[in-house]
Amino acid sequence: MHRQAWLAALALLAMTAAHAPIASATQTRIERDRKPVKEVASGRVAVGSATFPVYLSADWSNPLPDVTRAVLVLHGVLRNADDYFRAALSAQAAAGDTGKSTLMIAPQFLIEPDVEAFKLPAETLRWSLYGWQGGEPALAPGPVSSFEALDAILAKLGDRKLFPNLKQVVVFGHSGGGQVVQRYAIAVKGDQVLLREGIGVRYVVANPSSYAYFTKERPQPAIAAKCEGYNSWKFGMDDRPPYLAEPTPAALEQAYVARRVIYLLGTLDTNPNHPALDKSCMAEAEGPYRYARGHSYVAAMQARDHGATNHSVWDVAGVGHEGGKMLNSPCGLTAVFDIPGCEAAR
């Protein structure tokens, strides 16, 4: 073998070896995430002619005059809404009297393996493995955005015949659910029915792997420079899905900063090799781990000179990537139930 060919072969072997762990880890993660859920929520929300599963702490088919607050708790990438609903009920109990007048809702975004495993009806909405996190259209039974499914829940909550005394709706998401909430807070259309009824809406974004930026600047510009598509949705404003394709990025940003958004960041969510951390170059361009990515995003938004905004960032001391602990922490309870106890909220 000629020396040049031999060196090229060695370089190719080294490159393959260097990327093998990353490729293997990515494949392992995909295989883990594609496993069917252990349980499917028993409640249903109609989204046009399709249905969307939800867990509910009370039957909302009849009027609930005692409910003054509704809290949506969105699951992570494993679609384990059952675990998040248990954490939601724990937080509801910790909220005392405020919790007693709260309806807890845990939506569940399904994929095809879930529908097949539980032999669910054809009208059950299902998305691609990660598409639901960014508002992508469903694969079946029709191209319904995951954001439209959340809109349907907000529309139900805005029905004054069912909720005559509702005053506040909170949309909370952790990890993959935090990704949904951050993007939904940018794009949301369903809040209008609530706002017209004088019902407040708040978005709580906890420990997501990434955020949607409004400019092409990133905390790690060297990574962004080598990353094709780093500014594509759900990381940036390019190639947005149909649900939010029409407004300009400037219009989306203006609406976003006007909405009440609380970023909850666990101070121990600092593992750059966490098994559920998005390691794509698009996400890596935002920082090395979730805690850094969150603070970098907030700093980038503050540098945009919006003047006073409705956004806050609260550190949750001593908590890592644990949804239940984030929600049940003093700052989690303040963000969701307005329970005093979070020093950062003062």
Side-chain angles (χ1 to χ4, degrees):
M1 181 181 290
H2 293 297
R3 178 175 174 77
Q4 282 186 323
W6 180 71
L7 290 174
L10 278 180
L12 179 61
L13 182 62
M15 185 181 299
T16 303
H19 285 81
I22 297 175
S24 177
T26 300
Q27 187 59 37
T28 298
R29 179 187 173 202
I30 290 173
E31 290 174 359
R32 179 203 67 190
D33 297 347
R34 279 189 58 82
K35 289 182 179 178
V37 295
K38 294 180 296 183
E39 185 177 305
V40 173
S42 58
R44 294 292 181 273
V45 176
V47 188
S49 59
T51 61
F52 179 50
V54 294
Y55 288 95
L56 298 163
S57 63
D59 179 7
W60 66 356
S61 61
N62 295 306
L64 293 172
D66 295 334
V67 169
T68 58
R69 180 182 303 256
V71 178
L72 283 68
V73 177
L74 275 60
H75 59 72
V77 70
L78 298 180
R79 309 176 305 286
N80 52 333
D82 54 327
D83 292 332
Y84 277 80
F85 186 55
R86 282 189 285 272
L89 294 180
S90 175
Q92 181 184 27
D97 289 340
T98 302
K100 293 176 183 177
S101 59
T102 300
L103 174 67
M104 305 301 292
I105 307 167
Q108 191 171 32
F109 299 96
L110 301 177
I111 63 173
E112 195 64 49
D114 304 324
V115 175
E116 292 175 354
F118 287 87
K119 297 180 172 57
L120 298 176
E123 63 268 21
T124 305
L125 284 165
R126 77 291 305 259
W127 285 268
S128 64
L129 183 57
Y130 303 120
W132 54 273
Q133 294 179 342
E136 298 288 344
L139 300 178
V144 176
S145 167
S146 53
F147 293 165
E148 289 181 87
L150 294 176
D151 284 348
I153 295 176
L154 299 192
K156 181 103 174 180
L157 295 173
D159 184 346
R160 281 302 191 188
K161 293 180 181 178
L162 292 175
F163 299 97
N165 297 308
L166 187 66
K167 296 180 175 63
Q168 180 72 54
V169 172
V170 181
V171 186
F172 171 96
H174 177 263
S175 192
Q179 293 190 51
V180 178
V181 175
Q182 197 266 328
R183 277 77 176 189
Y184 186 55
I186 290 173
V188 58
K189 300 173 184 175
D191 61 343
Q192 294 304 306
V193 65
L194 299 173
L195 298 175
R196 284 195 298 269
E197 293 294 335
I199 300 169
V201 186
R202 181 185 311 163
Y203 305 88
V204 182
V205 179
N207 292 342
S209 270
S210 65
Y211 300 77
Y213 276 73
F214 292 99
T215 74
K216 293 186 177 181
E217 298 175 359
R218 292 295 184 275
Q220 303 291 329
I223 295 176
K226 300 176 182 178
C227 180
E228 183 179 356
Y230 80 93
N231 198 51
S232 294
W233 184 262
K234 57 190 172 77
F235 304 93
M237 291 292 117
D238 296 343
D239 307 314
R240 299 188 302 279
Y243 181 93
L244 67 158
E246 290 187 5
T248 64
L252 290 169
E253 183 176 10
Q254 184 178 15
Y256 181 57
V257 297
R259 294 184 177 113
R260 178 62 176 137
V261 179
I262 299 172
Y263 306 93
L264 287 183
L265 303 176
T267 60
L268 300 185
D269 202 348
T270 56
N271 181 359
N273 296 307
H274 189 279
L277 180 68
D278 187 346
K279 297 287 288 182
S280 68
C281 64
M282 293 84 76
E284 291 282 275
E286 298 187 8
Y289 44 79
R290 295 184 189 88
Y291 183 72
R293 292 175 188 179
H295 275 287
S296 292
Y297 183 77
V298 171
M301 290 298 293
Q302 290 173 342
R304 297 280 290 154
D305 193 26
H306 297 112
T309 73
N310 287 321
H311 293 201
S312 304
V313 56
W314 300 346
D315 281 357
V316 180
V319 178
H321 198 65
E322 300 168 282
K325 288 185 177 181
M326 291 292 291
L327 179 57
N328 283 272
S329 69
C331 283
L333 294 176
T334 299
V336 172
F337 296 100
D338 295 304
I339 300 297
C342 178
E343 294 296 325
R346 291 183 179 179

mmCIF file of all heavy atoms in Angstrom, residues 223-232 235 239 280-282:
data_model
loop_
_atom_site.group_PDB
_atom_site.id
_atom_site.type_symbol
_atom_site.label_atom_id
_atom_site.label_comp_id
_atom_site.label_asym_id
_atom_site.label_seq_id
_atom_site.Cartn_x
_atom_site.Cartn_y
_atom_site.Cartn_z
ATOM 1 N N ILE A 223 -19.116 25.906 17.137
ATOM 2 C CA ILE A 223 -19.901 24.701 16.851
ATOM 3 C C ILE A 223 -20.978 25.022 15.830
ATOM 4 O O ILE A 223 -21.200 24.263 14.881
ATOM 5 C CB ILE A 223 -20.514 24.145 18.148
ATOM 6 C CG1 ILE A 223 -19.420 23.669 19.103
ATOM 7 C CG2 ILE A 223 -21.480 22.989 17.838
ATOM 8 C CD1 ILE A 223 -19.929 23.183 20.440
ATOM 9 N N ALA A 224 -21.641 26.162 16.000
ATOM 10 C CA ALA A 224 -22.697 26.558 15.062
ATOM 11 C C ALA A 224 -22.150 26.695 13.647
ATOM 12 O O ALA A 224 -22.818 26.333 12.671
ATOM 13 C CB ALA A 224 -23.336 27.860 15.517
ATOM 14 N N ALA A 225 -20.924 27.211 13.528
ATOM 15 C CA ALA A 225 -20.333 27.442 12.205
ATOM 16 C C ALA A 225 -20.142 26.143 11.431
ATOM 17 O O ALA A 225 -20.144 26.134 10.200
ATOM 18 C CB ALA A 225 -18.994 28.161 12.355
ATOM 19 N N LYS A 226 -19.981 25.030 12.156
ATOM 20 C CA LYS A 226 -19.754 23.735 11.510
ATOM 21 C C LYS A 226 -21.015 22.872 11.478
ATOM 22 O O LYS A 226 -20.958 21.702 11.078
ATOM 23 C CB LYS A 226 -18.650 22.981 12.253
ATOM 24 C CG LYS A 226 -17.310 23.697 12.280
ATOM 25 C CD LYS A 226 -16.298 22.932 13.107
ATOM 26 C CE LYS A 226 -14.968 23.665 13.166
ATOM 27 N NZ LYS A 226 -13.984 22.936 14.018
ATOM 28 N N CYS A 227 -22.129 23.446 11.901
ATOM 29 C CA CYS A 227 -23.353 22.661 12.080
ATOM 30 C C CYS A 227 -24.408 23.081 11.063
ATOM 31 O O CYS A 227 -25.064 24.116 11.229
ATOM 32 C CB CYS A 227 -23.886 22.843 13.504
ATOM 33 S SG CYS A 227 -25.387 21.914 13.853
ATOM 34 N N GLU A 228 -24.590 22.281 10.043
ATOM 35 C CA GLU A 228 -25.603 22.580 9.042
ATOM 36 C C GLU A 228 -26.995 22.472 9.669
ATOM 37 O O GLU A 228 -27.306 21.511 10.355
ATOM 38 C CB GLU A 228 -25.494 21.603 7.868
ATOM 39 C CG GLU A 228 -26.465 21.895 6.734
ATOM 40 C CD GLU A 228 -26.318 20.935 5.571
ATOM 41 O OE1 GLU A 228 -25.410 20.084 5.626
ATOM 42 O OE2 GLU A 228 -27.120 21.035 4.632
ATOM 43 N N GLY A 229 -27.802 23.473 9.439
ATOM 44 C CA GLY A 229 -29.165 23.446 9.955
ATOM 45 C C GLY A 229 -29.292 23.829 11.416
ATOM 46 O O GLY A 229 -30.346 23.615 12.019
ATOM 47 N N TYR A 230 -28.231 24.431 11.996
ATOM 48 C CA TYR A 230 -28.299 24.763 13.417
ATOM 49 C C TYR A 230 -29.400 25.780 13.718
ATOM 50 O O TYR A 230 -29.880 25.865 14.847
ATOM 51 C CB TYR A 230 -26.954 25.303 13.907
ATOM 52 C CG TYR A 230 -26.703 26.756 13.587
ATOM 53 C CD1 TYR A 230 -27.039 27.755 14.496
ATOM 54 C CD2 TYR A 230 -26.156 27.142 12.367
ATOM 55 C CE1 TYR A 230 -26.827 29.096 14.203
ATOM 56 C CE2 TYR A 230 -25.943 28.473 12.059
ATOM 57 C CZ TYR A 230 -26.280 29.447 12.985
ATOM 58 O OH TYR A 230 -26.088 30.768 12.675
ATOM 59 N N ASN A 231 -29.817 26.550 12.702
ATOM 60 C CA ASN A 231 -30.847 27.556 12.924
ATOM 61 C C ASN A 231 -32.231 27.090 12.456
ATOM 62 O O ASN A 231 -33.176 27.859 12.426
ATOM 63 C CB ASN A 231 -30.482 28.863 12.221
ATOM 64 C CG ASN A 231 -31.259 30.045 12.771
ATOM 65 O OD1 ASN A 231 -31.301 30.267 13.983
ATOM 66 N ND2 ASN A 231 -31.891 30.811 11.905
ATOM 67 N N SER A 232 -32.332 25.822 12.089
ATOM 68 C CA SER A 232 -33.645 25.280 11.720
ATOM 69 C C SER A 232 -34.477 25.071 12.977
ATOM 70 O O SER A 232 -33.952 24.816 14.059
ATOM 71 C CB SER A 232 -33.484 23.954 10.969
ATOM 72 O OG SER A 232 -32.854 24.163 9.731
ATOM 73 N N PHE A 235 -34.578 24.708 16.882
ATOM 74 C CA PHE A 235 -33.453 25.408 17.498
ATOM 75 C C PHE A 235 -33.401 26.885 17.082
ATOM 76 O O PHE A 235 -32.844 27.708 17.783
ATOM 77 C CB PHE A 235 -32.140 24.713 17.128
ATOM 78 C CG PHE A 235 -32.132 23.259 17.488
ATOM 79 C CD1 PHE A 235 -32.516 22.295 16.564
ATOM 80 C CD2 PHE A 235 -31.769 22.833 18.751
ATOM 81 C CE1 PHE A 235 -32.531 20.953 16.892
ATOM 82 C CE2 PHE A 235 -31.783 21.489 19.090
ATOM 83 C CZ PHE A 235 -32.171 20.542 18.159
ATOM 84 N N ASP A 239 -37.268 27.156 8.602
ATOM 85 C CA ASP A 239 -38.009 25.913 8.311
ATOM 86 C C ASP A 239 -39.019 25.569 9.400
ATOM 87 O O ASP A 239 -39.106 24.426 9.855
ATOM 88 C CB ASP A 239 -37.039 24.729 8.115
ATOM 89 C CG ASP A 239 -35.971 25.029 7.079
ATOM 90 O OD1 ASP A 239 -36.332 25.557 6.003
ATOM 91 O OD2 ASP A 239 -34.789 24.768 7.349
ATOM 92 N N SER A 280 -26.834 16.633 19.737
ATOM 93 C CA SER A 280 -26.697 17.069 18.347
ATOM 94 C C SER A 280 -25.912 18.371 18.307
ATOM 95 O O SER A 280 -25.845 19.108 19.297
ATOM 96 C CB SER A 280 -28.074 17.275 17.709
ATOM 97 O OG SER A 280 -28.734 18.394 18.292
ATOM 98 N N CYS A 281 -25.308 18.665 17.149
ATOM 99 C CA CYS A 281 -24.532 19.907 17.054
ATOM 100 C C CYS A 281 -25.441 21.127 17.215
ATOM 101 O O CYS A 281 -25.005 22.175 17.704
ATOM 102 C CB CYS A 281 -23.750 19.958 15.748
ATOM 103 S SG CYS A 281 -24.744 20.004 14.236
ATOM 104 N N MET A 282 -26.721 20.999 16.834
ATOM 105 C CA MET A 282 -27.653 22.113 17.001
ATOM 106 C C MET A 282 -27.809 22.468 18.483
ATOM 107 O O MET A 282 -27.823 23.640 18.862
ATOM 108 C CB MET A 282 -29.013 21.770 16.404
ATOM 109 C CG MET A 282 -28.991 21.632 14.895
ATOM 110 S SD MET A 282 -28.476 19.978 14.339
ATOM 111 C CE MET A 282 -29.957 19.013 14.655
#
